[in-house]
């Protein structure tokens, strides 16, 4: 149904929104936590895209 890359992207964007929302309401600790989770999901998305490109070039 959904590719795992798309799921990583969606979760990263949602976590970034949660981070912004938490920081704007004054819950800085939870905001930083969500920001780190968002960055990790977006990093996983980037690495999966890069790996797929390398695999396609080697074939």
């Amino acid at each position: 149904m959904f590719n795992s890359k798309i799921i990583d992207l969606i979760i990263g964007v949602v976590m970034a929104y949660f981070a912004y929302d938490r920081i704007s309401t004054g819950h800085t600790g939870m905001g930083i936590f969500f920001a780190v989770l968002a960055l990790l999901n977006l990093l996983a998305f980037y690495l999966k895209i890069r790996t797929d490109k390398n695999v396609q070039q080697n074939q």
Side-chain angles (χ1 to χ4, degrees), residues 11-33:
I11 290 173
V13 169
V14 169
M15 288 291 177
Y17 170 75
F18 285 156
Y20 171 75
D21 186 50
R22 292 290 96 198
I23 290 172
S24 67
T25 58
H27 298 103
T28 309
M30 286 303 290
I32 292 171
F33 176 70

Side-chain angles (χ1 to χ4, degrees), residues 27-48:
H27 298 103
T28 309
M30 286 303 290
I32 292 171
F33 176 70
F34 282 126
V36 169
L37 288 177
L39 288 175
L40 289 174
N41 274 314
L42 295 175
L43 176 66
F45 172 73
Y46 170 73
L47 291 175
K48 286 179 184 179

